[in-house]
Amino acid sequence: MVSFKKSPSRSNFLKDVAPYLNLGWQLTITILVMVAIGWLIDNWLGSKPIFLIVFSFLGCAIGLFDFIRSVMKKR
């Protein structure tokens, strides 16, 4: 029989890392949503790459700003 014991170092590690686990998904989803919005506007207006490019850069900027703000707040 295998017994699972909580080691203090593992438990502390998970408590330290847990607040940061969601940040990668948050950054990725922000960028993907902004790219999708740009793509939809381009298809709606017929102006192919303009809004896609603008919203891609905007999504990266907003995502990175929010990422850095979240990391600084959790410190």
Side-chain angles (χ1 to χ4, degrees):
M1 181 185 304
V2 177
S3 65
F4 294 103
K5 296 180 183 177
K6 287 186 179 180
S7 65
S9 63
R10 182 176 177 205
S11 178
N12 289 338
F13 174 74
L14 289 177
K15 285 180 184 177
D16 291 341
V17 172
Y20 301 102
L21 292 177
N22 194 35
L23 293 178
W25 284 108
Q26 184 178 351
L27 176 64
T28 304
I29 290 172
T30 302
I31 294 171
L32 290 177
V33 166
M34 295 302 281
V35 167
I37 290 171
W39 182 77
L40 288 171
I41 292 174
D42 273 335
N43 282 338
W44 181 51
L45 295 177
S47 57
K48 278 300 170 197
I50 301 298
F51 286 101
L52 179 65
I53 293 169
V54 169
F55 276 82
S56 296
F57 284 121
L58 190 61
C60 289
I62 291 171
L64 286 174
F65 175 77
D66 194 41
F67 180 83
I68 292 169
R69 185 175 53 104
S70 296
V71 168
M72 297 305 263
K73 186 173 23 172
K74 292 179 193 281
R75 289 177 90 201

